[in-house]
Amino acid sequence: MVIPLSLATINGQPLEQSLPADRLSALVERARDSGAEVVKLLQKGSAYFSPAETAAAMVASMPGTADTIIAACVQSGGAYGVLDTRIGLPVRLGADGVKEIIKLRCRTDEHAALAEAAQSIRKRIAELE
């Protein structure tokens, strides 16, 4: 999971300037581990909640004219410099699927983290084929 902290704000102020680095690091770690935490707490059937809610939100955003941006696993098509893999990116959906991949202004280190994640995903997909 790549979290572009450079884009996060609290009351209009950059999050990175509002919280100490160690607190911010702990929050990022918690966000990354939250899925496993839910599964551990709820045990049976817990892995269905988030994917089901996300799928419902995706379907709801597709037929309308809403300008909803949603995170979705998509074929990257070169967005963010990522080629030949599927990765979670911010998108606008329409009746025919992905209307647009939203291009966020991320820092160099955030782009590098995304490229690293894409490479890891690409490797895992290759192992399955």
Side-chain angles (χ1 to χ4, degrees):
M1 178 188 297
V2 177
I3 301 172
L5 291 175
S6 65
L7 303 174
T9 60
I10 293 179
N11 295 327
Q13 299 300 314
L15 183 62
E16 293 175 309
Q17 293 176 9
S18 301
L19 294 173
D22 61 335
R23 176 76 174 130
L24 198 53
S25 178
L27 289 170
V28 167
E29 184 78 17
R30 178 92 192 273
R32 287 189 177 134
D33 294 342
S34 62
E37 185 178 340
V38 170
V39 169
K40 183 178 178 184
L41 289 171
L42 297 178
Q43 298 173 358
K44 288 188 172 186
S46 59
Y48 298 102
F49 292 139
S50 184
E53 184 175 342
T54 301
M58 293 170 112
V59 170
S61 72
M62 293 174 79
T65 57
D67 205 26
T68 305
I69 297 174
I70 191 164
C73 184
V74 297
Q75 186 69 28
S76 58
Y80 296 90
V82 175
L83 295 169
D84 303 325
T85 196
R86 297 137 193 97
I87 192 162
L89 296 173
V91 299
R92 283 193 179 90
L93 299 175
D96 296 323
V98 177
K99 286 194 323 190
E100 173 187 17
I101 295 175
I102 306 302
K103 300 203 173 48
L104 303 174
R105 293 183 186 177
C106 297
R107 292 187 311 231
T108 303
D109 63 320
E110 294 165 339
H111 277 281
L114 187 63
E116 183 179 332
Q119 178 59 30
S120 177
I121 293 166
R122 191 178 300 112
K123 180 180 174 187
R124 294 294 301 253
I125 291 171
E127 290 170 358
L128 296 171
E129 293 177 339

